[in-house]
Amino acid sequence: MATPEEADIAIVRLAAPYEPRSGTFESFFHAGGLAFPEAEITRLRVLQGKADTVVGVYLERPAVFPEIAEGAAAVLGDFGANDAAFLDVVFGRRSPLGRLPYELPRSMAAVEVSRSDMPYDSADPLYPFGHGLSY
């Protein structure tokens, strides 16, 4: 399609955000804030206003994305699925299967006040531990 308005659906794949770190050891791990940058949220919200949007998020770590999920026709979390496998689920050739191994918080504020030694501790998570869809 030449423009998003002409599309039946828009499919967007994202990776959980992280802040690159310097140093030999620390550079191998994704760390830092879990929220997407405001510019990315704005870009997706504009797209969501033009076409029904399916958002896939590679969840190698938790992510905070209530604004993106709110405007999406569907949200799919994956843990390393290739494009073909992802599209098989989107187009109904395969059924989604799986559960979240952690909760996805609703905000960074909820993350910051949660206890670091207690799993599933954020207030009102966007998606709780074990959330998933299969059929």
Side-chain angles (χ1 to χ4, degrees):
M1 302 290 116
T3 66
E5 293 87 354
E6 297 175 62
D8 291 331
I9 63 169
I11 300 172
V12 178
R13 295 194 74 186
L14 307 170
Y18 67 93
E19 299 163 10
R21 303 292 172 106
S22 61
T24 306
F25 183 73
E26 198 172 14
S27 66
F28 289 105
F29 299 94
H30 291 172
L34 304 175
F36 284 91
E38 196 60 43
E40 182 72 355
I41 293 169
T42 300
R43 180 183 77 85
L44 290 171
R45 297 292 290 197
V46 168
L47 178 62
Q48 290 171 338
K50 296 177 180 181
D52 288 338
T53 306
V54 174
V55 178
V57 183
Y58 172 49
L59 293 170
E60 61 142 345
R61 65 192 301 250
V64 172
F65 56 93
E67 306 90 344
I68 296 169
E70 177 183 284
V75 174
L76 290 103
D78 80 79
F79 299 93
N82 65 28
D83 290 342
F86 180 81
L87 292 174
D88 279 347
V89 172
V90 169
F91 292 115
R93 294 185 291 263
R94 298 275 189 244
S95 297
L97 181 62
R99 302 280 182 247
L100 283 173
Y102 40 71
E103 67 184 16
L104 298 180
R106 187 167 298 277
S107 68
M108 278 305 297
V111 172
E112 291 162 358
V113 298
S114 67
R115 295 175 289 184
S116 63
D117 61 343
M118 179 67 67
Y120 331 124
D121 186 43
S122 72
D124 189 31
L126 181 63
Y127 298 107
F129 166 78
H131 181 82
L133 174 66
S134 59
Y135 46 84

